[in-house]
Amino acid sequence: MSIPDWHSPTTHPDPPGGALLDWLSGEGSLTRRLIAAGRDDFRVQVLGESQQPARPDEAAALGLASGHPVWIREVLLHSAGAPRVFARTVADLQAFNAAGVHLENLGSRSLGELLFSDPRIHREPIEISRYPAAWMPAEQRAEGCWARRSLFASERLQLLVCEVFLPGWPVAA
């Protein structure tokens, strides 16, 4: 299994083309874009929330040691009647607890709603890469899927949000 090789969309050595690159590099809310694309048919399926050791690429992005304990939330974002995006959110467990942020209470609400409605939270630049199939949920596991990630930060908390576009999405124009 290879570790993702993250680059900005403009400097990636072999980026995807067309609509997929547009979706990967879009700076706005992916939730809002999926809602619009699915004509308001959108839902969040929570796969799990737990404490885990950080993967090496996640730890590096958050400035932590590999294996440092982190809080993980994994969901599938459904639009137009099917799962379209696998999303994984990672936060330093100590900072997460100290910040008093209660992301674990989101349930089936979209994290994007929270991130894009709080003026204290800013988004760092987007990075893109192919995503290892072994890191995806078994039912969605596929080789060659493209992903994007970025840090969302406030004064007391950093969240690393990774969004993996499942096969067939976006629909070719």
Side-chain angles (χ1 to χ4, degrees), residues 9 12 14-22 24 128-130 146:
H12 195 283
D14 188 24
L20 181 54
L21 182 58
D22 182 60
L24 286 166
I128 66 171
S129 177
R130 297 266 186 185
W146 280 93

Side-chain angles (χ1 to χ4, degrees), residues 5-130:
D5 186 20
W6 299 104
H7 296 272
S8 81
T10 57
T11 63
H12 195 283
D14 188 24
L20 181 54
L21 182 58
D22 182 60
W23 278 77
L24 286 166
S25 57
E27 302 258 340
S29 167
L30 180 61
T31 296
R32 290 182 192 139
R33 196 163 181 189
L34 286 167
I35 289 169
R39 295 186 173 88
D40 293 331
D41 177 12
F42 175 82
R43 74 181 175 91
V44 176
Q45 176 187 352
V46 179
L47 300 176
E49 296 175 282
S50 64
Q51 177 181 330
Q52 299 176 20
R55 293 179 181 153
D57 70 312
E58 295 168 338
L62 289 165
L64 304 172
S66 185
H68 186 85
V70 292
W71 175 82
I72 304 286
R73 172 181 160 101
E74 293 183 332
V75 302
L76 287 174
L77 304 178
H78 293 252
S79 180
R84 305 300 182 181
V85 174
F86 165 64
R88 179 177 167 98
T89 302
V90 182
D92 174 7
L93 194 61
Q94 293 168 342
F96 179 73
N97 290 334
V101 177
H102 299 288
L103 298 176
E104 70 275 15
N105 295 332
L106 273 175
S108 61
R109 289 180 296 143
S110 167
L111 178 62
E113 291 175 24
L114 172 70
L115 296 177
F116 285 94
S117 64
D118 189 332
R120 298 170 299 171
I121 298 173
H122 69 277
R123 180 185 215 158
E124 300 287 325
I126 292 172
E127 299 175 306
I128 66 171
S129 177
R130 297 266 186 185

